Amino acid sequence: MKTIVAAPIVTSPRIPSSRMTESRRWLAAGLLLLVLPHVPGLNADFGRSLLSQMGIAAVFALSFNVLLGQTGLLSFGHAVYFGLGGYATIHMMRAINHGLPIPMPVVPLVGAFAGLLFGILFGSVTTKRAGTIFALITLGIGELVHATTFMLPSYFGGEEGITASRTQGPSLMGLDLGPQLQVYYLIAIWAMVAAALMRGFMRTPVGRMCNAVRDNPERAAFVGYNTARVRFIAFATAGLFAGLAGGLHAINYEIVAADSVGALRSGTVLLMTYIGGVGHFIGPVIGAAVLTWLQASLSGYTSAWLLYLGVFFMLVIVFAPSGLAGLVLMHAPIVRTRAFGSVLRAYAIAVVPAIVMAIGIVLLVEMSYRMSTQPELGTQMRLIGIALDAATPWPWIAAAAIAIAGFATFRVTWPLVAAAWHGARSS
């Protein structure tokens, strides 16, 4: 009797669709970073410097999100690891300037190592507790380190800081880091590497346990995990990447001063993360780009830019708790449906009175700032192409009327937007 043996079915290995999708996203991000410095408007030194700042801020915000978004730890002193990483890097750059044969492009690793070292040192103390106590301890450590920068001027340089040159050292593959374009690409490469590593960390068993400790620490402890150890690992990892961001900052600016470890920088990274969206990996990147752009653009046009920034932050927190990333991803399910067109039309109708309202508010704010903080410039002003005198009542009345009329009309459009969204969800 003849036995028939079925040949084995040979299948070609296939990458899961989710992995392919993520690979395409990383490839698209890499191509975008490659092209951005050549886009008109960004192809000058100012634009490339702005992009470099965004890259540094993105790494810093992603490192903060390892603590806040992944582990649920709110730190008020995260700039400590950014600044100490920057100081370690700038001292290494000075040693290279004096003949140490190390290529400048690899120097940010020194900042990463310093961030990891101090993350381990301070994390062994701070991560024993969580919640409000953890936040207060980090605030105290931040103030302690900031005060130390003035007490040890031989290392920290006091108020003037420490300077070094990024061009006086061995080149790597012909890169001397003189042109801003070279600095941008260096920062972009390190930013991509750091983002990929942090994404990978979130998918490790430790990263998953960070989520468990964030969501339900009691249950995580009940099943046998040491929650303090998980928090410690997350803290040290966040310190490593914050130090890397500080190293990139040192190379970009060629100076590190006391403000790099100050509370203002810790507050800034907190704003970036919340504005972008704590619950999304891409959120801190979006928040870093938006906040860096706002700081660079608004500060050149108005002295009230911090007020506008605060208002923008409050609007995001109140109306988009998931941040800008959550706002964008909320539209993903309806983008390819017919209902998306009706939602866009509703937005187009609502945005006109919103702009009118914003114009009225801006006029009131700018006139108030001129009268209260810049009286030496006089009361004659030109806002939005209109000449006005803030000493007379008519500009104030007109601005208030514009703001009130814009808000009233904007309020009328809310049901229209709600109805469009209701139709989109039910379709």
Side-chain angles (χ1 to χ4, degrees):
M1 184 176 178
K2 188 176 181 180
T3 304
I4 300 175
V5 180
I9 300 175
V10 180
T11 58
S12 59
R14 294 184 179 180
I15 300 175
S17 58
S18 60
R19 188 177 300 176
M20 290 185 64
T21 301
E22 182 157 0
S23 299
R24 291 171 183 170
R25 290 173 181 170
W26 283 103
L27 180 60
L31 292 175
L32 180 64
L33 293 177
L34 185 66
V35 172
L36 271 178
H38 302 286
V39 173
L42 296 174
N43 56 356
D45 282 344
F46 174 78
R48 290 166 179 172
S49 176
L50 181 62
L51 291 174
S52 300
Q53 295 172 46
M54 289 180 179
I56 296 168
V59 176
F60 190 29
L62 282 171
S63 72
F64 184 76
N65 198 47
V66 171
L67 284 180
L68 180 60
Q70 297 302 311
T71 321
L73 297 174
L74 177 59
S75 173
F76 289 136
H78 198 56
V80 166
Y81 314 99
F82 176 93
L84 293 177
Y87 274 112
T89 302
I90 204 75
H91 280 289
M92 178 60 69
M93 291 171 63
R94 289 170 67 90
I96 294 173
N97 294 160
H98 288 86
L100 187 65
I102 297 178
M104 283 290 179
V106 302
V107 170
L109 288 174
V110 176
F113 177 77
L116 175 62
L117 178 64
F118 286 102
I120 292 173
L121 176 63
F122 294 134
S124 61
V125 177
T126 58
T127 56
K128 294 183 183 298
R129 305 294 296 272
T132 304
I133 300 300
F134 170 85
L136 293 177
I137 294 174
T138 59
L139 177 62
I141 290 177
E143 292 301 315
L144 173 66
V145 173
H146 185 255
T148 304
T149 60
F150 299 100
M151 297 168 61
L152 300 174
S154 59
Y155 181 80
F156 295 104
E159 295 182 356
E160 297 180 357
I162 301 292
T163 61
S165 174
R166 65 180 180 231
T167 59
Q168 297 179 13
S171 62
L172 181 65
M173 295 184 295
L175 299 177
D176 60 2
L177 300 183
Q180 185 62 41
L181 181 62
Q182 291 186 10
V183 178
Y184 163 77
Y185 279 128
L186 175 66
I187 292 172
I189 291 171
W190 277 114
M192 285 289 290
V193 171
L197 291 175
M198 280 184 272
R199 183 67 169 173
F201 171 78
M202 293 174 186
R203 294 185 170 185
T204 62
V206 177
R208 300 299 187 190
M209 282 311 304
C210 289
N211 298 155
V213 170
R214 174 197 64 193
D215 297 334
N216 197 327
E218 291 81 8
R219 179 174 294 181
F222 180 77
V223 297
Y225 287 95
N226 188 327
T227 56
R229 184 175 299 173
V230 173
R231 291 194 297 266
F232 172 74
I233 294 173
F235 194 93
T237 303
L240 183 151
F241 290 107
L244 177 64
L248 295 173
H249 170 88
I251 286 183
N252 186 54
Y253 290 100
E254 300 179 287
I255 184 173
V256 178
D259 67 299
S260 62
V261 297
L264 179 59
R265 196 171 296 272
S266 294
T268 301
V269 74
L270 177 66
L271 292 180
M272 290 177 183
T273 308
Y274 268 108
I275 287 173
V278 174
H280 307 279
F281 180 76
I282 194 64
V285 179
I286 296 175
V290 170
L291 194 60
T292 303
W293 177 76
L294 288 175
Q295 288 177 327
S297 58
L298 286 180
S299 60
Y301 290 99
T302 173
S303 58
W305 67 276
L306 282 174
L307 173 64
Y308 294 127
L309 188 60
V311 171
F312 176 65
F313 173 70
M314 289 190 295
L315 290 175
V316 170
I317 294 300
V318 172
F319 295 103
S322 297
L324 298 180
L327 198 62
V328 172
L329 295 175
M330 183 177 66
H331 295 77
I334 66 170
V335 167
R336 297 183 180 180
T337 65
R338 295 181 179 179
F340 186 58
S342 63
V343 172
L344 288 181
R345 285 191 292 271
Y347 285 164
I349 294 172
V351 75
V352 175
I355 292 175
V356 173
M357 176 184 66
I359 290 174
I361 294 174
V362 167
L363 290 173
L364 291 172
V365 169
E366 292 300 322
M367 288 190 293
S368 298
Y369 258 73
R370 173 61 68 88
M371 298 294 290
S372 60
T373 65
Q374 299 174 320
E376 69 280 0
L377 298 180
T379 59
Q380 296 292 331
M381 305 175 60
R382 178 171 290 274
L383 296 173
I384 320 176
I386 303 173
L388 52 87
D389 186 357
T392 62
W394 300 113
W396 296 87
I397 295 173
I402 292 172
I404 293 172
F407 175 76
T409 310
F410 181 47
R411 182 66 180 84
V412 172
T413 64
W414 292 1
L416 179 64
V417 175
W421 262 106
H422 178 73
R425 290 174 177 173
S426 59
S427 61

